[in-house]
Amino acid sequence: MDAIEGAVSPAMRHKARHFALQAIYQWQMTGDSAQEIERQFLEDQPLKGADLDYMHDLISGVVANAMELDEIYSPFLSRPLKDLDLVDKAILRLATFELTYRQEIPFRVIINEAIELAKSFAEQDSHKFVNGVLDKVVKQIKQG
């Protein structure tokens, strides 16, 4: 925890997103339940410094709402959803979940985090693709 009991730092949220992305990717690959994947992560990963409650919310929220999330961002894809790289799909699902369900977090923070995840885990120019799609998602959410 931070110096203030119960406070969550941006670094803790960043780590939560990092692990949630990996868990979502694993879910996409295996089809295992969110609970099983999260259990494995808690047992096998060095999660120290991550906001575990937020990680849980992200994993369970994305898995529970994946079809809805795909419907939100897929109109802005330059290729069919079925052809989307699984890492890009996991990042877009994660960020779209936050943009839709965690509106207390500034959209710029969510998009920046998604770009950083893409730079770390996805193909070389995926961060540009992710940024372009999420910018359009934000505009749609603001209009709604």
Side-chain angles (χ1 to χ4, degrees):
M1 286 283 153
D2 286 318
I4 302 169
E5 186 60 34
V8 177
S9 71
M12 293 171 73
R13 284 276 170 94
H14 176 76
K15 287 182 179 182
R17 289 180 183 98
H18 173 100
F19 292 121
L21 174 65
Q22 292 175 318
I24 293 162
Y25 179 80
Q26 183 176 335
W27 168 73
Q28 291 174 161
M29 294 292 293
T30 66
D32 291 346
S33 72
Q35 295 81 9
E36 175 61 20
I37 292 169
E38 188 173 350
R39 185 192 62 71
Q40 290 172 12
F41 265 75
L42 291 171
E43 289 177 3
D44 301 339
Q45 296 288 329
L47 300 176
K48 187 173 193 276
D51 179 348
L52 297 180
D53 290 336
Y54 199 66
M55 183 184 85
H56 169 77
D57 289 348
L58 294 174
I59 296 167
S60 60
V62 168
V63 170
N65 297 289
M67 289 179 61
E68 175 192 349
L69 299 171
D70 291 350
E71 288 175 7
I72 293 170
Y73 71 79
S74 63
F76 309 116
L77 298 177
S78 57
R79 54 189 160 275
L81 182 61
K82 67 178 179 53
D83 295 339
L84 192 60
D85 177 81
L86 287 180
V87 175
D88 290 345
K89 184 183 280 188
I91 293 168
L92 289 171
R93 284 174 164 170
L94 177 64
T96 302
F97 174 80
E98 286 190 283
L99 290 167
T100 305
Y101 292 99
R102 300 303 299 253
Q103 293 188 351
E104 74 278 9
I105 300 171
F107 70 88
R108 285 181 181 87
V109 170
I110 295 169
I111 291 175
N112 187 56
E113 287 285 315
I115 290 168
E116 291 304 314
L117 289 169
K119 286 179 179 178
S120 295
F121 292 103
E123 297 293 322
Q124 184 173 350
D125 285 336
S126 282
H127 67 281
K128 295 174 187 174
F129 169 73
V130 164
N131 185 35
V133 172
L134 293 177
D135 279 344
K136 292 173 184 160
V137 168
V138 166
K139 287 177 183 152
Q140 177 180 290
I141 289 171
K142 284 183 172 183
Q143 290 174 352

